């Protein structure tokens, strides 16, 4: 949520402390056992698709590639790449995208391409005229037993032109123009949750690498600052309730809900309740009818949100400080032994965030997340006059024994920018 005036927060806290009669009645949360399972994804799911002209995949090209453009490369008659089979093991296809160039047909008249994965032939294709190529062959399971896999193509015959195509060395045999090579599951069919989550994580890591390649840190900071200067995130509503979050971060949170299937989402810093309502919607959308959102704030501005049916079904509001021992104890009792996702978004001063980290980190099970929000304020920083704040608290926490059980998951920063850089903490 937006950076609040410390004086206002202190005044509100004092007012609430003096007025216990304004506290709303809290309904008890009793959940039946849940038989679902969270996913503990690998740090690196591998690379199953290689865009051959992209510098990010240079080390994946094993042999047989020449120059080209920023979209494609010329190949030799024999070319090979190294890729990682999709996880978990399942029905997999080998894809090739590119073209049979006119220069090749002019020299060879007809050509045949043979594809092999780890030395096992998976398919053949012949051409007698120039053509756009998008070929895919099913790969037998035995060809994927070695990871990573070597994908090799052999073109017979190749060609040596007296006047070779641009970017092909003079006198060198050449073959196809290739855009990409890869192994994939059938995304048009039914994907199970682990497969879908691994594909999403692979994409997140790919996007993150592309972002860092295309945007230097100064340019990334400029984007964050621009987002602050334009009143986008201060003028957002979820349904009929105000919400102050980066939309790209909200998208990542719903992905975490899909992957983790949390029984509880714990949020500090409710404000008007828009984010708690969003989390309730995310739980409802994946059928987690028995899961609940626990949200806590020193203010009670939730009257509008509380009229929403999803709020009534999923959300419990706790009125008070997120570091109040009684509130922490109550939340700890409710979440004990449950799959829990924690999001810290209340007072952004360093000491308060550090106190929250100490209080709520033990509630997070292995593979789940403790998300420290708005680390961009003092971490990038997008608000240089503020601090020390959440980023400083995260750095100190990760150096402590309790914090060493967590690691920052940069894959969750994939959507160009995030308000939580270094704050997506996954329990090891």
């Amino acid at each position: 949520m937006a950076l609040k005036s410390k004086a206002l927060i202190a005044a509100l806290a004092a007012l609430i402390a003096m007025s216990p009669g304004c506290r709303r009645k809290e309904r008890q949360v009793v959940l039946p056992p849940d038989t679902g399972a969270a996913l503990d994804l690998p740090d690196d799911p591998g690379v199953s698709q290689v865009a051959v002209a992209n510098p990010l995949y240079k080390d994946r090209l094993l042999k047989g590639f020449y120059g080209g453009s920023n979209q494609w490369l010329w190949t030799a008659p024999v070319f090979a790449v190294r890729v990682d089979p999709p996880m978990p093991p399942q029905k997999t296809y080998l894809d090739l995208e590119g073209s049979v160039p006119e220069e090749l047909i002019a020299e060879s008249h007809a050509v045949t391409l043979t594809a092999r994965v780890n030395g096992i032939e998976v398919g053949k294709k012949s051409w007698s005229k120039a053509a756009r190529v998008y070929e895919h062959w099913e790969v037998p399971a035995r060809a994927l037993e070695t990871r990573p896999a070597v994908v090799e193509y052999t073109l017979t015959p190749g060609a040596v032109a007296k006047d070779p195509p641009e970017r092909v060395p003079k006198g060198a045999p050449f073959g196809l123009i290739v855009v990409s090579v890869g192994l994939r599951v059938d995304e048009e069919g039914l994907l199970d949750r682990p497969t879908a989550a691994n594909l999403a994580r692979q994409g997140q890591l790919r996007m993150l690498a592309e972002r860092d390649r295309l945007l230097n840190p100064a340019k990334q900071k400029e984007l964050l600052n621009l987002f602050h200067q334009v009143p986008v995130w201060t003028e957002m509503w979820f349904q009929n309730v105000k919400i102050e979050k980066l939309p790209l971060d909200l998208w990542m949170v719903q992905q975490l809900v899909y992957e983790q299937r949390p029984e509880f989402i714990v949020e500090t810093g409710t404000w008007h309740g828009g984010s708690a309502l969003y989390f309730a919607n995310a739980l409802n959308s994946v059928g987690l009818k028995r899961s609940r959102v626990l949200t806590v704030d020193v203010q009670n501005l939730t009257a509008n949100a509380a009229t929403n049916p999803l709020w009534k079904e999923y959300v419990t509001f706790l009125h008070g400080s997120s570091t109040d021992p009684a509130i922490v104890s109550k939340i700890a009792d409710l979440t004990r032994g449950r799959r829990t996702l924690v999001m810290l978004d209340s007072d952004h001063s360093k000491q308060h965030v550090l106190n929250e980290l100490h209080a709520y980190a033990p509630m997070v099970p292995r593979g789940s997340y403790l998300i420290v929000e708005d680390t961009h304020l003092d971490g990038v920083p997008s608000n240089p006059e503020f601090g020390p704040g959440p980023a400083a608290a995260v750095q100190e926490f990760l150096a402590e024994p309790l914090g060493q059980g967590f690691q920052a998951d940069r894959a969750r920063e994939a959507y160009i920018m995030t308000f939580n850089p270094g704050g997506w903490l996954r329990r090891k």
Side-chain angles (χ1 to χ4, degrees):
M1 72 177 55
L3 181 64
K4 301 181 178 69
S5 162
K6 293 182 181 179
L8 176 60
I9 291 292
L12 285 168
L15 179 61
I16 290 168
M18 291 186 295
S19 307
C22 74
R23 296 175 185 262
R24 66 187 296 180
K25 185 177 180 181
E26 299 163 2
R27 63 185 173 87
Q28 295 297 312
V29 179
V30 180
L31 299 184
D34 194 307
T35 57
L39 298 178
D40 189 9
L41 297 177
D43 290 333
D44 182 1
V47 174
S48 59
Q49 296 284 332
V50 173
V52 298
N54 191 321
L56 291 175
Y57 305 110
K58 184 178 180 180
D59 66 340
R60 295 274 172 169
L61 308 184
L62 299 180
K63 63 181 177 181
F65 289 92
Y66 302 132
S69 73
N70 61 356
Q71 298 293 324
W72 51 265
L73 296 178
W74 284 96
T75 74
V78 179
F79 57 97
V81 302
R82 175 173 54 88
V83 293
D84 299 292
M87 296 172 59
Q90 60 205 280
K91 190 174 182 179
T92 300
Y93 295 89
L94 173 64
D95 287 342
L96 172 68
E97 182 180 2
S99 354
V100 178
E102 292 179 357
E103 295 92 333
L104 176 65
I105 296 300
E107 295 290 332
S108 300
H109 305 297
V111 293
T112 297
L113 184 72
T114 303
R116 296 179 177 85
V117 177
N118 285 329
I120 297 173
E121 183 175 320
V122 298
K124 282 189 176 184
K125 178 72 174 185
S126 298
W127 298 273
S128 58
K129 60 182 179 179
R132 180 73 173 153
V133 173
Y134 183 75
E135 296 299 326
H136 65 277
W137 297 282
E138 186 174 346
V139 181
R142 62 192 177 91
L144 300 174
E145 293 175 354
T146 301
R147 182 182 179 91
V150 174
V151 176
E152 183 178 83
Y153 294 93
T154 303
L155 189 73
T156 54
V160 178
K162 297 177 182 177
D163 184 16
E166 186 179 359
R167 306 292 181 88
V168 174
K170 188 173 182 179
F174 68 92
L176 302 182
I177 288 173
V178 171
V179 175
S180 66
V181 174
L183 297 170
R184 66 169 174 87
V185 297
D186 183 7
E187 295 181 25
E188 300 301 320
L190 296 176
L191 291 181
D192 58 28
R193 192 163 55 97
T195 299
N198 273 294
L199 289 173
R201 185 166 186 82
Q202 187 177 97
Q204 289 161 10
L205 290 169
R206 185 166 57 248
M207 286 188 289
L208 185 68
E210 288 283 8
R211 182 199 71 178
D212 291 346
R213 181 176 72 91
L214 296 172
L215 298 176
N216 60 37
K219 184 65 71 173
Q220 293 179 36
K221 178 181 177 181
E222 183 181 335
L223 279 176
L224 269 174
N225 288 338
L226 175 63
F227 207 72
H228 269 263
Q229 292 165 17
V230 178
V232 176
W233 66 291
T234 62
E235 299 299 330
M236 285 177 53
W237 298 73
F238 182 70
Q239 298 183 8
N240 65 329
V241 183
K242 290 278 283 185
I243 179 173
E244 288 194 353
K245 302 281 188 186
L246 181 68
L248 299 170
D249 288 335
L250 288 174
W251 187 262
M252 188 60 77
V253 170
Q254 66 81 30
Q255 175 67 23
L256 286 177
V257 170
Y258 169 75
E259 293 175 8
Q260 295 295 317
R261 297 184 60 82
E263 295 171 274
F264 282 99
I265 297 177
V266 176
E267 175 193 42
T268 68
T270 310
W271 199 45
H272 288 280
S275 52
L277 191 59
Y278 176 88
F279 304 148
N281 185 73
L283 293 171
N284 185 65
S285 71
V286 293
L288 296 175
K289 299 292 187 180
R290 295 177 290 186
S291 296
R292 296 294 181 267
V293 178
L294 306 177
T295 183
V296 55
D297 204 313
V298 294
Q299 305 177 83
N300 183 0
L301 303 176
T302 64
N304 192 29
T307 65
N308 190 295
L310 284 175
W311 184 281
K312 295 175 182 178
E313 183 177 356
Y314 285 95
V315 180
T316 296
F317 174 71
L318 302 170
H319 194 173
S321 170
S322 60
T323 55
D324 181 334
I327 286 180
V328 172
S329 177
K330 181 172 184 177
I331 294 175
D333 287 343
L334 289 170
T335 60
R336 186 169 292 110
R338 303 286 190 170
R339 294 189 304 277
T340 303
L341 174 68
V342 174
M343 306 185 68
L344 306 181
D345 190 21
S346 60
D347 179 349
H348 291 324
S349 63
K350 174 188 173 183
Q351 191 56 53
H352 183 82
V353 175
L354 194 57
N355 291 342
E356 286 186 323
L357 284 163
H358 293 155
Y360 291 93
M363 304 178 195
V364 179
R366 182 180 181 274
S368 191
Y369 286 77
L370 172 60
I371 303 169
V372 183
E373 299 200 40
D374 292 328
T375 50
H376 69 109
L377 293 174
D378 61 323
V380 174
S382 61
N383 195 343
E385 69 276 10
F386 172 77
V394 167
Q395 291 172 8
E396 184 168 327
F397 172 72
L398 291 177
E400 299 173 351
L402 177 59
Q404 288 174 15
F406 290 81
Q407 63 183 11
D409 186 355
R410 292 198 68 227
R412 303 306 178 179
E413 304 176 24
Y415 296 126
I416 308 302
M417 63 178 173
T418 176
F419 278 1
N420 317 321
W424 300 84
L425 305 182
R426 184 174 63 164
R427 185 137 205 180
K428 301 176 184 177

